[in-house]
Amino acid sequence: MNNTLREQVWEILHDVYDPEIPLNIADLGLIYDLQVSDQGEVYILMTLTAPGCPVGDMIADEIRDRVMSLPGVQDVQVEFTFDPLWSPERISEEGREALRAFGFPV
């Protein structure tokens, strides 16, 4: 696995935001799995804050566009799962601090 590319992808995920919550998808805990092959194929397994979230496709498209812009990336696959369902317990400590700054109770 290409660790440098994996780190770059992870950084990009910190720049993708759920439009309904002022927090990036990585700190929200929406990323369940991230795999990067030596051939530059990226696989992201993620969830959404709710199964009926209307912005899922928009988030996936933004992820694909941003990750494809990285040198060495050949393909990006984003897959959604709701097993397990997302819960606020998945939010990182950094994410909790950011949400508190916006006045969200976490």
Side-chain angles (χ1 to χ4, degrees):
M1 174 176 55
N2 187 331
N3 284 328
T4 302
L5 186 54
R6 185 180 194 286
E7 291 166 8
Q8 291 173 336
V9 171
W10 191 245
E11 284 302 312
I12 281 182
L13 295 176
H14 280 85
D15 292 332
V16 177
Y17 284 77
D18 182 316
E20 298 174 336
I21 303 170
L23 191 60
N24 67 70
I25 63 173
D27 284 332
L28 268 172
L30 299 181
I31 306 301
Y32 287 178
D33 190 22
L34 169 60
Q35 298 174 24
V36 179
S37 74
D38 290 335
Q39 293 76 33
E41 298 163 331
V42 177
Y43 171 78
I44 298 166
L45 179 65
M46 66 175 293
T47 194
L48 300 167
T49 55
C53 179
V55 296
D57 289 339
M58 184 181 80
I59 292 172
D61 289 343
E62 182 177 353
I63 291 169
R64 281 186 207 96
D65 290 346
R66 287 177 176 252
V67 173
M68 281 300 296
S69 73
L70 290 172
V73 172
Q74 301 301 313
D75 186 43
V76 180
Q77 180 183 358
V78 179
E79 182 180 346
F80 290 107
T81 185
F82 297 99
D83 184 23
L85 287 173
W86 178 85
S87 71
E89 289 79 35
R90 294 192 54 88
I91 300 173
S92 71
E93 190 53 42
E94 294 85 4
R96 290 177 190 283
E97 290 174 20
L99 287 175
R100 283 186 205 105
F102 282 105
F104 283 79
V106 286

